[in-house]
Amino acid sequence: MKNILIISGGNLSEYFVKQYIKDYGYDYIIAVDKGTEYFYNNNLVPDLIIGDFDSANRVCVEFYKEKYGNKVKQFDAEKDYTDTTIAVFEALQIVDEDGQIVILGGTGSRLDHVIGNIQILKAAYDKNIKCYIIDPHNRIHLAKSGETIKKSQSYGKYISFFPLGDKVTGLCLKGFKYNLENYILEYGKSLGVSNELESENACISFQDGILLMIESKD
């Protein structure tokens, strides 16, 4: 599969989801727990439904179990992985090497789940698969060294960088409002917050570490 979309159970604007699917289209869609309600409310059937369904509407869940039972994978509420993590694992089994995974509904009021979802990105990163968490105000992913960002295709005005771990070494930013040269970006420092693009083509490179990149708009 080239492009896989995961609809999770965080804050989910139905208008945003509809528009996103219309604009980009996807080869395979996974509904996760409460995210299943979006499909039920819009008379749609995802390719796969995953969850322990502790937060999803029971009527919605029973409808899909009865009508499309072969598409439903239910898990115990007490387990080692979150529902969204399991969905990413499922996606990684079928996504093409040059494909991507996008998670909608991966942010919201439960900060523990938001942080957990950000950490899930590493599973795709380790397999060299692009994986994004996207909501109406943010696009989040783990950047690769040598990555180029086009200003005309950026998600928002602001771009922030954080180490996913202790530090990112040898960080170079070119084409930004605040460029860096061979910088050590350490955990606990906020220097990477709220940068902006200056050039049409901006470049990110670094020597070691895992770099979290968040594109944001108000």
Side-chain angles (χ1 to χ4, degrees):
M1 299 290 178
K2 182 75 172 178
N3 296 304
I4 298 177
L5 181 64
I6 296 173
I7 306 293
S8 194
N11 287 357
L12 205 61
S13 160
E14 289 204 0
Y15 173 79
F16 176 74
V17 175
K18 286 179 183 177
Q19 196 62 43
Y20 199 89
I21 293 175
K22 178 182 177 182
D23 290 344
Y24 297 99
Y26 281 86
D27 302 310
Y28 194 88
I29 299 180
I30 302 174
V32 181
D33 205 283
K34 189 175 176 62
T36 307
E37 294 176 10
Y38 165 79
F39 298 92
Y40 182 77
N41 293 338
N42 291 278
N43 298 311
L44 299 171
V45 181
D47 296 288
L48 181 63
I49 300 169
I50 283 176
D52 53 32
F53 306 120
D54 60 346
S55 59
N57 180 287
R58 299 308 305 172
V59 173
C60 162
V61 173
E62 291 305 318
F63 169 81
Y64 284 108
K65 281 185 177 180
E66 181 179 340
K67 298 286 187 180
Y68 306 98
N70 62 322
K71 295 179 179 288
V72 179
K73 288 188 178 182
Q74 183 165 1
F75 297 86
D76 291 335
E78 296 183 4
K79 55 189 183 300
D80 294 333
Y81 301 106
T82 66
D83 293 331
T84 305
T85 300
I86 294 171
V88 171
F89 289 164
E90 291 278 347
L92 287 172
Q93 292 182 41
I94 58 175
V95 68
D96 294 339
E97 289 183 1
D98 60 344
Q100 68 173 13
I101 300 167
V102 169
I103 303 169
L104 305 183
T107 58
S109 58
R110 285 284 302 271
L111 291 182
D112 53 343
H113 279 280
V114 175
I115 293 172
N117 289 340
I118 289 173
Q119 293 189 83
I120 293 169
L121 297 175
K122 188 175 182 296
Y125 180 88
D126 288 343
K127 293 182 178 293
N128 206 31
I129 299 295
K130 293 179 180 178
C131 186
Y132 300 87
I133 297 171
I134 300 177
D135 66 25
H137 298 282
N138 305 279
R139 181 167 65 186
I140 306 167
H141 80 290
L142 299 181
K144 293 283 189 179
S145 182
E147 189 168 320
T148 298
I149 307 168
K150 291 186 176 295
K151 189 174 184 179
S152 58
Q153 298 176 5
S154 63
Y155 197 71
K157 178 180 179 180
Y158 304 106
I159 300 184
S160 298
F161 299 97
F162 305 90
L164 194 69
D166 183 47
K167 59 188 174 183
V168 172
T169 63
L171 178 61
C172 297
L173 301 178
K174 299 184 185 301
F176 290 82
K177 183 175 182 179
Y178 307 108
N179 289 323
L180 291 175
E181 184 68 34
N182 200 31
Y183 184 77
I184 299 176
L185 184 62
E186 296 179 295
Y187 178 82
K189 293 185 177 180
S190 59
L191 182 136
V193 176
S194 295
N195 208 332
E196 299 177 31
L197 294 172
E198 286 283 316
S199 303
E200 171 58 24
N201 295 299
C203 185
I204 305 164
S205 64
F206 53 93
Q207 293 175 354
D208 193 38
I210 301 174
L211 186 65
L212 175 67
M213 174 174 147
I214 303 177
E215 301 166 79
S216 301
K217 53 189 173 185
D218 293 324

